[in-house]
Amino acid sequence: GESLYCILYCIHRHLKSRDASGSRAVMYEALSTLHSVASIADTNTILSIPQLWWSVLACLQSDCEAEYWLSLDLLAMLLQQLDFDNSALTSKMQSKPPGEWVVPFSGIQSLVLK
């Protein structure tokens, strides 16, 4: 749990700064690690950290193609593990949105089809 929060914090810092320096490599490594962790995490672990869901959605706004594709793959993995037909799950995920979005959140479809 705690290491997952550290990875999410690293991604948050990168998304907030959006600089083109070496942080791209750090961001890619953080996303790769997050992908590895999420691939072996059970549904309860993923549900206990709704920020994971929101972080993946934020990463889909990346203008770096490699980050975007890795984020899209991570989204697909989460969608396979989570049952959004379950109203309790949907409520839990919606209860922890990020405080500020640079671009207002308008749903997943626009992020996936960009």
Side-chain angles (χ1 to χ4, degrees):
E2 186 176 325
S3 58
L4 199 52
Y5 279 112
C6 290
I7 296 167
L8 291 173
Y9 180 71
C10 177
I11 291 171
H12 167 76
R13 282 190 10 226
H14 172 74
L15 290 172
K16 194 167 179 135
S17 70
R18 291 287 188 184
D19 65 1
S21 67
S23 69
R24 285 265 185 227
V26 172
M27 175 65 169
Y28 189 80
E29 287 302 319
L31 274 171
S32 295
T33 303
L34 189 59
H35 191 281
S36 296
V37 170
S39 70
I40 60 172
D42 62 10
T43 302
N44 289 332
T45 302
I46 293 171
L47 288 175
S48 70
I49 308 172
Q51 296 86 348
L52 174 61
W53 170 255
W54 290 104
S55 295
V56 170
L57 296 181
C59 289
L60 285 171
Q61 296 184 29
S62 176
D63 57 352
C64 174
E65 188 175 349
E67 290 174 10
Y68 174 79
W69 284 110
L70 194 53
S71 301
L72 192 60
D73 192 46
L74 190 50
L75 175 66
M77 184 184 311
L78 292 176
L79 289 173
Q80 287 177 355
Q81 290 180 316
L82 301 173
D83 176 16
F84 283 96
D85 288 333
N86 179 332
S87 61
L89 174 117
T90 304
S91 296
K92 181 171 179 127
M93 293 309 219
Q94 291 176 345
S95 71
K96 302 281 186 181
E100 297 178 27
W101 283 74
V102 175
V103 178
F105 181 68
S106 60
I108 297 173
Q109 185 175 9
S110 62
L111 297 173
V112 172
L113 296 177
K114 73 178 201 172

